Amino acid sequence: MTLVDAIPGRPPQRSGVAEGDPSGAGPFLTRLDDEARQFALLIGSVTDYAIYMLDPDGYIRSWNPGGERIKGYTDREIVGQHFSRFYTPEDIVKGEPQRGLECARTQGKFEAEGWRLRKDGTRFRASVVIDPIWQNGELLGFAKVTRDVTERYEAMLHLQDAQKALAQSQKLEAIGKLTLGLAHDFNNLLTVIVNSLDLIGLTAPRDERTQEWIEAAQRAADRGTLLTRQLLAFARGQNLAPEPHDINQLLSRSAELYRRACGASIQVSFELDEDMPSLEVDATQFEAAVLNLVANSRDAMPGGGTITVRTHRTTCARPDAPDDGEMEFIVVEVIDSGSGMDADTAERAAEPFFTTKEVGRGSGLGLSQVYGFAAQSGGFVQLHSEPGAGTKVGMHLPACPQAPAMKGTPDDV
């Protein structure tokens, strides 16, 4: 059988003498020779696709320049080898090479996309098609075509990430608008309540029981005022007073506060990058945001653990606006060794009043305040968490334009 006979879907060529050519060496053989040469030239000219043939057991019998370009093997290195060497070890354990051949044999074609290995061990995303080659009911082998689609696959992942970030941003923005209106109305009601309690305290009889009731109501009103401030922070409705600051100095001066908030069973350490530009930020709200992150990490480690507060600088685009271009951010990360969160919980973590803590252990507004403060400061927050592997929350805050770096060793923390 010739190579032309083995083309999938091509009817077998007639053998013997061409009609009207008793010598047997006329136009038919010349035409066959031309077609075989043209086919070989076609396959040899394709470099964007790896096109090769396998025998029925999966051993490589031909190789083209596209296979060498994509996978790195020359024909001398690869012809005679089993095609499973292109598969990842995990796919080999699962029997993917054999499954592909069996599917092509029984169903007439096998198509798939997955990770494959080059000669140098690097991985690439491959789109694969395997067709069986039959003649007179006998399986002669397989025709295999592979294309490198790594760039397309990575672009698709980036697009999905951007769409997910945009959807999350739009959801939080809608919740924020609702929260802002509720917070203002609630604040107006609290103002009336607090003023009325003050008047009652001035005019009511001074018996001990009445005084206890007034003080309890005032404490509840104070708690409501704090919740209102947190809601306004999430909804970006708080009044900020940003000023240029050395971020490391802000963290250093509050280090003891963070340690006291965690207790003796939790070790709080600091890894502060010395070469940092100045940051224009509301110092009070920044310290409150970091304290909220530290408190969340503490609550995730009831049996003790470690919390690391880290600063560094990076250049990136906002996740919800990748087309706006890259800019420089100062990143403040709080990393713990706690229980972590699954993907669904992490996605909802910033929503107001959403909490995994027991009733009475938290309002569910701590992380909301952090997200709102970062957004109102022109930045964003990224949260990474896995069950059993701890949580890392990074506030990305824009550095001051053309600000000189704050060099030098920060205060001892």
Side-chain angles (χ1 to χ4, degrees):
M1 185 191 71
T2 68
L3 181 62
V4 176
D5 293 333
I7 301 175
R10 181 185 179 93
Q13 296 289 333
R14 293 184 298 109
S15 59
V17 179
E19 184 177 353
D21 185 10
S23 67
F28 177 75
L29 292 181
T30 303
R31 185 171 65 254
L32 177 64
D33 182 63
D34 287 344
E35 289 186 4
R37 184 180 297 110
Q38 291 170 9
F39 180 74
L41 287 172
L42 173 64
I43 298 300
S45 300
V46 175
T47 58
D48 288 338
Y49 293 81
I51 304 175
Y52 52 98
M53 296 179 65
L54 308 174
D55 69 12
D57 296 321
Y59 288 92
I60 299 169
R61 295 307 180 195
S62 68
W63 197 242
N64 81 319
E68 181 174 351
R69 189 187 72 82
I70 294 174
K71 302 187 180 184
Y73 296 94
T74 65
D75 55 352
R76 293 184 179 182
E77 293 174 316
I78 201 63
V79 172
Q81 302 294 319
H82 198 272
F83 86 111
S84 61
R85 72 184 307 157
F86 304 136
Y87 284 72
T88 62
E90 50 269 30
D91 282 347
I92 293 176
V93 171
K94 292 189 293 185
E96 289 298 319
Q98 293 76 11
R99 187 178 72 86
L101 296 184
E102 182 63 19
C103 181
R105 186 185 66 81
T106 57
Q107 300 182 21
K109 176 176 283 190
F110 173 77
E111 295 184 71
E113 185 174 306
W115 293 106
R116 298 293 185 267
L117 296 178
R118 295 187 177 93
K119 177 183 176 181
D120 60 7
T122 59
R123 299 190 178 199
F124 69 98
R125 194 75 178 178
S127 175
V128 176
V129 178
I130 303 177
D131 287 300
I133 301 172
W134 299 93
Q135 187 179 54
N136 299 325
E138 177 186 359
L139 179 65
L140 300 181
F142 301 91
K144 191 170 186 294
V145 180
T146 301
R147 185 183 182 190
D148 185 349
V149 295
T150 306
E151 291 185 3
R152 186 196 71 186
Y153 178 75
E154 291 177 346
M156 180 188 68
L157 291 182
H158 290 321
L159 177 60
Q160 290 176 348
D161 290 342
Q163 290 174 335
K164 184 177 180 180
L166 178 61
Q168 180 71 1
S169 176
Q170 290 173 335
K171 181 180 73 172
L172 292 179
E173 182 179 1
I175 296 175
K177 290 180 179 179
L178 174 63
T179 302
L180 183 61
L182 292 175
H184 279 303
D185 290 342
F186 187 46
N187 193 51
N188 293 335
L189 295 175
L190 281 175
T191 300
V192 175
I193 293 172
V194 171
N195 291 338
S196 298
L197 288 173
D198 290 340
L199 292 174
I200 292 173
L202 293 174
T203 60
R206 292 287 181 173
D207 63 282
E208 183 176 347
R209 189 64 172 167
T210 301
Q211 188 65 27
E212 289 178 356
W213 290 341
I214 294 174
E215 291 176 355
Q218 287 175 333
R219 287 195 297 271
D222 291 340
R223 177 61 176 164
T225 302
L226 175 61
L227 292 177
T228 301
R229 286 202 298 268
Q230 291 177 313
L231 289 171
L232 289 173
F234 169 75
R236 311 179 197 181
Q238 61 183 346
N239 294 320
L240 298 181
E243 295 179 351
H245 287 282
D246 179 346
I247 201 69
N248 290 342
Q249 293 294 337
L250 289 180
L251 292 170
S252 298
R253 76 184 189 186
S254 300
E256 193 57 36
L257 171 62
Y258 303 146
R259 290 191 173 104
R260 287 200 304 269
C262 291
S265 64
I266 295 177
Q267 179 182 356
V268 181
S269 62
F270 292 79
E271 298 176 3
L272 308 181
D273 189 343
E274 296 180 8
D275 187 18
M276 298 288 286
S278 61
L279 179 67
E280 194 166 281
V281 69
D282 186 311
T284 301
Q285 293 298 330
F286 170 79
E287 291 169 345
V290 177
L291 182 59
N292 276 328
L293 293 178
V294 171
N296 282 345
S297 293
R298 174 203 63 199
D299 295 341
M301 299 183 295
T306 59
I307 297 175
T308 302
V309 180
R310 179 185 300 161
T311 61
H312 62 91
R313 56 200 297 183
T314 188
T315 301
C316 64
R318 293 176 57 92
D320 58 341
D323 296 334
D324 290 348
E326 295 185 341
M327 59 184 297
E328 186 175 25
F329 290 93
I330 292 177
V331 185
V332 181
E333 294 176 334
V334 177
I335 308 164
D336 65 58
S337 59
S339 55
M341 295 178 281
D342 58 33
D344 292 337
T345 303
E347 188 172 343
R348 298 192 57 196
E351 296 179 10
F353 302 113
F354 177 80
T355 179
T356 59
K357 301 174 185 177
E358 299 176 1
V359 176
R361 290 290 305 277
S363 63
L365 290 173
L367 197 56
S368 300
Q369 183 268 338
V370 176
Y371 271 73
F373 164 73
Q376 196 169 355
S377 300
F380 60 94
V381 175
Q382 287 186 330
L383 186 151
H384 301 280
S385 187
E386 294 181 13
T391 300
K392 177 173 70 174
V393 182
M395 280 195 298
H396 292 61
L397 303 172
C400 293
Q402 299 179 345
M406 299 286 189
K407 294 187 177 180
T409 304
D411 293 345
D412 184 17
V413 293

